[in-house]
Amino acid sequence: MITKNKLINVPQFLWIVLLLGAFLYLGKNLTVVSDMSQFMPASGAGDNNASINLFLDEIQQGVTSKILFISVRADTTENTARFSKRLKRDMLQSGLFVTVANGEIDYEWQRFEKLFRYRYLLKPHLSSTDFSAEKLRLALTQRLADVRAGLGMVLKQTLAADPQNIFFDYLRGLARQQMPAKQYGVWFSADRQEALLLATMNVKGFDLDAQQRAITFVKRDLAEKPEVNIVISGPGSYAVASREKIQQASRILSVAATILILLLFWFAYRSIRLIVLVGLPLISAISFAMLVTNAVFGQVHGITLVFGITLLGVCIDYPVHFFSHLQQQQTALQVIRKIWPTLQLSVVTTSLGYLAFWGTDFTGLSQLAVFTVTGLLSAVAVTRWVLPAWIGTGYVAVIPGWLPLLPQKPGGNTPYYPLLPVLLSMLALSAFFWRDAVWEQDVSALSPIPAEARQTDRRLRQALGAPDVNHLFVLADRDAEKLLQRIESIKQKLQILQAEGLIGRIYAATDILPSRAMQERRKRQLPPPAVLQKNLATALQGLPFRPAFFQPFLQDVAASRSLEPLSVEFMMQTPLAEQLRSNFFWRKGKWISIVRLAGVSDAGALERWLESHPAVGKYYLNLHKATGSIVDNYRREALQRIVWGALIISLFLLITIGSLKKGAGILLPVVLAVILSLGVQLFAGTKLNLFHLLSLLLVAGIGLDYSLFFARHTQGARERLQSLHGVMIGAASTIIAFGLLALSGIPVLVAIGQTVALGVLACFILTLLMSQ
Amino acid sequence: MIIGTMNKQKKRLGWLLFFFLLPAGQQLYAAVAADFERIMHEIAASRKKTAFFVEKKVAFYLDEPLISKGKLYYEYPDKLEKTLVSPVSEKQIIHGDEIKILKQDGSEEHVYTSDHPGIQSVVSAFLALLSGDADRLRAMYAVSSFKQNGGWRLELEPADENIKKWIKHIEVKGKKGKILSIKVIEFNDDYTLTTLYDHEE
């Protein structure tokens, strides 16, 4: 019978108002960011570390993240080339792309006209000897050879002003050196089977939907031609592909989990009302956790959000305990009051565990602490003060007939049961010594992208001659000129290695835009008009060129001697802006520049050289190693905090309970369960990562909760069975949800799913067997 | 009415003349116009061709014509090598859409014709002519053919407006399956005349 309680009392009213308020606030203010530097250490290795963070940020949000590598393959080479050209044209017309390159060169003269007059300031390695009579004659005879080869038609556009082809050489130097081979005017792979394109998507910030639209456009553009096969790769497609994969997996998983858990709850409670109410604490927990985190930090990180919500899954356990203890004779209020002390202790200890993450250098972890603690407290508060009024009396859990048959201790001492789990756990612990690689070192193993797709990416990147992302130098300065000068000095030093064949090519922003100082130096090398005129006259002797024809050349060189050097701002207005921006960009009050190396023949030798040349070496960043070490630090920090959390929890429990023996009895099964969960995974060949560790906190929290409920003083066998029922239903729902995650095939989710499902199973069995 | 009869007779004569001359006109036209298909068919008969050449370039930036001499080697479908002996020893190798220039000083230059529409249309015309591919030539140019001095002459007008910005027209002369000269006239009347002799097949 449901008593005629008022459905809305003060707590319910407050809860509704707060929840509505939270929805309103979140609707207006929730800022979810995916800025990677949030999850990087805030302080630490000083200035260089800061620029590395800015660079990682750029990788994620800047031009680099918007690059697509595209391969086109059709029945014949000629058709492949034709489709490459058509795809390029369609892509540019769609407006979804900023640049599309397929090897076709655009010789629309007007595009570069603005830059043409700066050619003597831009061209690298130009010296005064290039204007000697001898060198000029060499250049002119080469032009004659070009004319004889039929190039005169094109050459005559610039011949009069630029007989040395200075501007063309400058542009050609900027084009990728390890350019893919061309067939029918477009880039082809080395095996001449596929045409290659390089595109930059027209996307602002981190807009996955826009990226998705662009990628879908490429996939669909030639869909009506069945003979055309298009492969898309590159950083820009990664984010979209992983999101697609995660969305796909989570759609199936959440439907499956919901159905299974609903069935479980129906089996346990046989009441629609209870099944509806069981979700309220969780919904409240997530809403308030988002609200408080956003209010404290001004934003919530995407990773915090996803991982935090997963961790808050434990909140389902609170109403489950509550509902399992419902009895015919008692009102819901009486029931919740009865289990409140245990519930309270369970929530406080779990929260303490998460609080250990507060105040780390990793903002992400701090956010996670606030998020989970707020969530846990909200869930338990809703269970305690909001739900009872809506239940009244008359509900009772369905205790299955086999439940009393589970091995459980009737009270008193049982020396036998604890021994087996202890032995098992010791065996599991040995896995840590038995396995030589316990920790996952390879960050890419965490990527949801299948290894095959990563292989494709590597292949296309190499074919397109894209620089090796593993060897680069990151430099930063508020002053663009100072930064450009520093790049020039580093490049000059690196050229020694280039001469030795240790590195193939150096890509630097100064190839496109030299520093003002460099431009001034080049200006000073230009010969005075009278000298040049004399040299040119000498050079032209005996050649069939009309001498007066080269008047523009004389004028331009003379004008260049007093030309104001080209600025960054000016360059950013030219067709070369995109190319400059990929290596030189403004971020958070600084200019950041990347110097990239290609064709590193011996990485070890390079690193040794850099160690002995700290002036260059201090800017060096091996991206693979750097992310690896950041992940390492992260894991170390998390591990430390977890140990601290465990100590705080233990201390708190011992003090609250006031008995070493009883406290140890509660803690021991949980500790053993954690060891078992990790040990089993290690024996199965899993390498541990950060997400395994963070999941352990959830396991420990749940385990303590079970242990406390088993250990609580009960009145009679019936109530003990009810506690067991609650724990069992809670464990079953957790194992269902996380067990499904373990099947998702997405590395991070598998890590969380495995650890929690195995851990909770171990917790359930061990706390059942060992509880006092 | 003598005058009237005269007029009638004149008229009749006119018609007679007309009917008599019509086939003659056709015959005359046939005598002047050469059969383009047949010319190309005859050219296509040999897949490898060797000949000596003299090339004369006249351009507004040159004081005097640039003359070069050498040997030309063609291999079906798209390979053309020009070995220069005068004024310098130099080699130009065209293969598909790539031009490789091996200069006298040992340096090498690669140019892709597809980067330059004007150059591409000239190179394509050369390759289509040498291979005797009538369809390929007609895809790019409007072709008129004439009989001349016991041989034939082709006039090629670029079909594409974009190409007309670079090339005015191309004139080819030959005899049976042999091309004797190719003259490329650029939009500003600069021209290149390539004369071939001593053909070997």
Side-chain angles (χ1 to χ4, degrees):
Chain A
M1 272 297 131
I2 300 165
T3 49
K4 298 249 184 240
N5 261 354
K6 267 206 288 180
L7 279 181
I8 310 273
N9 287 319
V10 177
Q12 285 75 26
F13 178 72
L14 253 172
W15 174 73
I16 291 170
V17 169
L18 279 176
L19 201 59
L20 285 178
F23 287 156
L24 279 178
Y25 171 86
L26 291 173
K28 261 189 162 174
N29 298 309
L30 179 66
T31 321
V32 180
V33 294
S34 7
D35 181 353
M36 259 321 263
S37 56
Q38 285 270 317
F39 258 76
M40 297 297 155
S43 64
D47 188 49
N48 199 33
N49 214 43
S51 19
I52 290 174
N53 281 346
L54 288 175
F55 171 62
L56 290 173
D57 195 31
E58 170 68 19
I59 284 191
Q60 226 205 356
Q61 297 190 27
V63 182
T64 329
S65 72
K66 291 157 196 162
I67 289 177
L68 291 184
F69 306 129
I70 302 165
S71 125
V72 177
R73 192 190 285 252
D75 45 357
T76 63
T77 317
E78 202 165 347
N79 279 340
T80 303
R82 219 183 56 229
F83 287 125
S84 162
K85 288 175 191 171
R86 200 184 120 182
L87 185 63
K88 174 185 173 177
R89 206 186 51 228
D90 292 350
M91 283 167 73
L92 285 173
Q93 271 171 8
S94 73
L96 294 166
F97 299 87
V98 184
T99 59
V100 181
N102 68 346
E104 288 178 286
I105 297 182
D106 187 356
Y107 275 90
E108 266 182 64
W109 189 239
Q110 286 72 20
R111 288 180 72 229
F112 294 105
E113 220 165 17
K114 251 162 88 176
L115 276 174
F116 185 65
R117 65 198 212 103
Y118 288 98
R119 61 193 177 279
Y120 298 108
L121 277 58
L122 292 172
K123 169 79 171 53
H125 313 303
L126 195 65
S127 73
S128 54
T129 54
D130 287 313
F131 297 90
S132 66
E134 209 184 350
K135 279 287 181 74
L136 282 174
R137 187 176 176 87
L138 186 67
L140 289 166
T141 48
Q142 285 191 333
R143 292 301 83 75
L144 279 178
D146 293 340
V147 170
R148 276 193 296 267
L151 309 182
M153 203 189 299
V154 172
L155 207 61
K156 65 188 175 196
Q157 296 181 103
T158 54
L159 185 63
D162 188 9
Q164 300 149 295
N165 255 3
I166 297 285
F167 190 63
F168 183 63
D169 283 351
Y170 161 73
L171 285 183
R172 199 157 50 169
L174 295 185
R176 279 148 223 287
Q177 189 95 75
Q178 295 163 304
M179 229 168 22
K182 276 203 207 176
Q183 297 256 80
Y184 298 98
V186 300
W187 289 329
F188 264 81
S189 60
D191 62 2
R192 310 211 151 191
Q193 293 298 310
E194 45 191 348
L196 304 168
L197 294 93
L198 191 66
T200 322
M201 291 181 277
N202 185 8
V203 177
K204 296 245 175 326
F206 197 72
D207 185 351
L208 277 181
D209 290 322
Q211 293 194 14
Q212 176 121 43
R213 273 196 299 280
I215 289 168
T216 313
F217 179 85
V218 177
K219 280 186 188 156
R220 296 225 180 114
D221 189 44
L222 295 171
E224 88 274 14
K225 306 272 178 202
E227 73 270 29
V228 183
N229 182 22
I230 292 181
V231 177
I232 304 171
S233 186
S237 73
Y238 268 19
V240 171
S242 16
R243 182 176 74 158
E244 236 167 49
K245 197 168 175 208
I246 289 174
Q247 274 178 348
Q248 212 174 14
S250 59
R251 212 172 300 138
I252 300 167
L253 287 178
S254 57
V255 170
T258 310
I259 292 173
L260 287 175
I261 289 175
L262 282 179
L263 282 173
L264 177 75
F265 286 158
W266 179 252
F267 157 80
Y269 303 117
R270 307 279 156 91
S271 154
I272 302 277
R273 175 184 286 227
L274 290 189
I275 289 177
V276 170
L277 290 181
V278 91
L280 293 188
L282 182 61
I283 293 169
S284 320
I286 294 169
S287 313
F288 293 130
M290 273 158 60
L291 175 126
V292 172
T293 313
N294 198 67
V296 171
F297 294 92
Q299 65 197 20
V300 184
H301 198 283
I303 298 178
T304 310
L305 202 60
V306 174
F307 198 58
I309 290 175
T310 315
L311 291 182
L312 286 183
V314 70
C315 294
I316 283 278
D317 281 7
Y318 304 149
V320 163
H321 285 309
F322 174 26
F323 296 164
S324 286
H325 281 89
L326 289 175
Q327 288 182 15
Q328 286 288 358
Q329 301 80 16
Q330 287 177 315
T331 64
L333 203 59
Q334 283 171 317
V335 171
I336 194 74
R337 277 190 189 135
K338 192 173 61 185
I339 63 165
W340 178 238
T342 315
L343 212 50
Q344 214 177 348
L345 195 59
S346 164
V347 172
V348 171
T349 43
T350 311
S351 303
L352 280 175
Y354 285 120
L355 266 190
F357 284 135
W358 172 254
T360 61
D361 275 347
F362 300 88
T363 322
L365 286 183
S366 295
Q367 280 199 4
L368 203 58
V370 172
F371 192 91
T372 42
V373 171
T374 315
L376 290 171
L377 296 180
S378 317
V380 83
V382 171
T383 310
R384 167 67 184 84
W385 286 289
V386 179
L387 294 189
W390 289 337
I391 295 168
T393 52
Y395 289 97
V396 65
V398 180
I399 309 266
W402 46 263
L403 199 61
L405 301 178
L406 285 182
Q408 53 178 317
K409 205 184 65 60
N413 293 325
T414 41
Y416 175 68
Y417 285 140
L419 212 59
L420 189 64
V422 170
L423 281 176
L424 266 177
S425 308
M426 289 305 110
L427 187 67
L429 198 61
S430 74
F432 282 89
F433 304 101
W434 174 70
R435 282 277 303 274
D436 27 287
V438 170
W439 303 109
E440 182 58 74
Q441 297 296 342
D442 186 7
V443 191
S444 60
L446 284 180
S447 159
I449 310 292
E452 192 193 337
R454 286 204 296 268
Q455 193 87 32
T456 307
D457 188 71
R458 207 167 307 136
R459 188 172 58 81
L460 289 183
R461 188 185 288 275
Q462 256 165 21
L464 278 164
D468 190 342
V469 282
N470 277 332
H471 300 287
L472 38 91
F473 299 82
V474 184
L475 297 88
D477 204 300
R478 276 175 208 291
D479 185 61
E481 171 63 14
K482 274 189 197 153
L483 184 57
L484 287 169
Q485 287 183 23
R486 205 175 306 144
I487 297 168
E488 276 159 359
S489 122
I490 281 191
K491 185 172 175 182
Q492 199 185 6
K493 286 173 188 140
L494 284 171
Q495 272 161 350
I496 304 166
L497 299 182
Q498 203 176 11
E500 287 172 3
L502 198 58
I503 52 183
R505 195 172 180 220
I506 309 160
Y507 292 86
T510 50
D511 301 342
I512 304 168
L513 177 67
S515 68
R516 277 169 171 271
M518 179 64 84
Q519 294 184 53
E520 289 292 350
R521 210 167 319 151
R522 287 184 189 148
K523 264 164 67 174
R524 283 195 295 274
Q525 289 181 343
L526 295 173
V531 174
L532 185 62
Q533 193 164 12
K534 196 170 139 258
N535 288 351
L536 181 65
T538 317
L540 279 168
Q541 271 169 22
L543 294 180
F545 287 113
R546 275 198 301 129
F549 178 68
F550 294 106
Q551 205 54 38
F553 168 57
L554 297 174
Q555 282 163 7
D556 282 6
V557 173
S560 297
R561 284 159 53 90
S562 54
L563 206 56
E564 176 66 14
L566 202 63
S567 66
V568 177
E569 293 72 27
F570 185 95
M571 197 51 122
M572 289 295 185
Q573 307 296 319
T574 69
L576 295 179
E578 272 307 312
Q579 206 176 341
L580 179 61
R581 217 170 280 142
S582 65
N583 277 344
F584 194 86
F585 46 87
W586 177 259
R587 185 133 296 199
K588 295 187 179 159
K590 269 184 188 173
W591 286 104
I592 311 281
S593 188
I594 321 288
V595 177
R596 298 166 208 255
L597 302 183
V600 175
S601 59
D602 182 351
L606 173 67
E607 273 171 39
R608 279 193 298 282
W609 186 88
L610 289 168
E611 264 167 40
S612 57
H613 296 78
V616 182
K618 68 177 173 184
Y619 301 111
Y620 176 69
L621 170 67
N622 182 326
L623 198 56
H624 195 68
K625 272 196 178 169
T627 44
S629 84
I630 287 172
V631 169
D632 263 1
N633 288 339
Y634 223 125
R635 201 182 51 221
R636 206 168 301 126
E637 177 90 12
L639 198 59
Q640 264 175 25
R641 296 287 175 151
I642 285 172
V643 172
W644 274 110
L647 283 176
I648 295 169
I649 290 176
S650 314
L651 213 65
F652 175 78
L653 260 184
L654 291 179
I655 291 169
T656 322
I657 292 168
S659 148
L660 191 66
K661 192 175 165 226
K662 211 172 165 203
I666 290 170
L667 286 171
L668 188 63
V670 181
V671 173
L672 295 182
V674 163
I675 294 173
L676 261 179
S677 164
L678 286 186
V680 168
Q681 292 189 68
L682 282 176
F683 270 119
T686 309
K687 284 186 182 175
L688 301 184
N689 60 49
L690 179 69
F691 294 94
H692 288 103
L693 289 181
L694 292 177
S695 309
L696 284 184
L697 267 185
L698 177 61
V699 173
I702 293 174
L704 273 179
D705 180 68
Y706 297 170
S707 206
L708 285 168
F709 267 91
F710 280 135
R712 74 179 264 270
H713 181 69
T714 49
Q715 294 156 334
R718 164 84 196 167
E719 200 183 317
R720 215 165 24 247
L721 276 182
Q722 284 183 310
S723 287
L724 175 58
H725 182 263
V727 169
M728 187 188 68
I729 297 301
S733 65
T734 311
I735 291 169
I736 289 173
F738 286 87
L740 283 171
L741 273 193
L743 300 178
S744 68
I746 296 162
V748 172
L749 298 185
V750 169
I752 299 171
Q754 272 184 3
T755 311
V756 176
L758 281 172
V760 167
L761 184 67
C763 278
F764 177 69
I765 296 170
L766 294 191
T767 50
L768 182 67
L769 292 180
M770 298 171 70
S771 64
Q772 303 280 317
Chain B
M1 296 248 297
I2 293 172
I3 295 174
T5 328
M6 282 271 293
N7 273 347
K8 259 186 190 167
Q9 276 178 337
K10 261 189 183 173
K11 250 185 189 170
R12 207 171 291 154
L13 194 68
W15 278 112
L16 209 71
L17 219 71
F18 178 77
F19 281 112
F20 178 74
L21 284 182
L22 185 68
Q26 278 175 330
Q27 273 178 7
L28 192 72
Y29 177 77
V32 177
D35 183 352
F36 173 59
E37 296 286 343
R38 210 195 62 238
I39 295 169
M40 295 308 270
H41 188 75
E42 281 174 356
I43 294 176
S46 58
R47 300 222 140 192
K48 287 179 185 171
K49 297 178 172 71
T50 311
F52 288 92
F53 72 89
V54 178
E55 195 180 83
K56 178 182 175 191
K57 275 186 192 286
V58 175
F60 75 104
Y61 47 86
L62 296 173
D63 246 354
E64 53 196 73
L66 192 61
I67 311 263
S68 40
K69 293 174 185 171
K71 202 170 181 183
L72 178 145
Y73 169 73
Y74 168 79
E75 199 181 306
Y76 182 86
D78 60 358
K79 193 170 175 189
L80 178 61
E81 272 184 36
K82 283 162 85 182
T83 312
L84 268 69
V85 290
S86 150
V88 288
S89 70
E90 212 168 71
K91 208 165 186 178
Q92 301 156 8
I93 303 167
I94 295 173
H95 194 179
D97 80 331
E98 186 192 10
I99 306 177
K100 189 153 80 178
I101 308 166
L102 305 171
K103 294 182 182 174
Q104 191 184 22
D105 59 8
S107 66
E108 226 179 79
E109 190 157 352
H110 295 253
V111 178
Y112 293 92
T113 60
S114 44
D115 294 339
H116 313 277
I119 296 173
Q120 185 177 38
S121 64
V122 173
V123 169
S124 299
F126 265 77
L127 292 175
L129 277 170
L130 287 163
S131 66
D133 190 338
D135 292 338
R136 190 169 164 202
L137 205 55
R138 262 195 303 244
M140 299 180 289
Y141 296 92
V143 185
S144 333
S145 48
F146 308 93
K147 277 184 184 157
Q148 194 178 323
N149 303 336
W152 45 262
R153 179 167 60 90
L154 301 178
E155 293 280 351
L156 311 178
E157 296 271 351
D160 190 338
E161 284 303 316
N162 199 25
I163 303 302
K164 283 182 188 162
K165 279 188 250 169
W166 302 92
I167 296 161
K168 213 176 244 176
H169 75 279
I170 300 177
E171 197 181 277
V172 192
K173 289 177 187 167
K175 206 167 196 177
K176 293 198 169 156
K178 286 192 178 82
I179 298 167
L180 298 178
S181 75
I182 303 174
K183 185 177 183 183
V184 179
I185 299 145
E186 295 173 32
F187 76 102
N188 65 342
D189 290 331
D190 284 357
Y191 72 86
T192 307
L193 173 65
T194 311
T195 314
L196 304 175
Y197 59 96
D198 283 356
H199 294 74
E200 283 170 33
E201 276 165 19

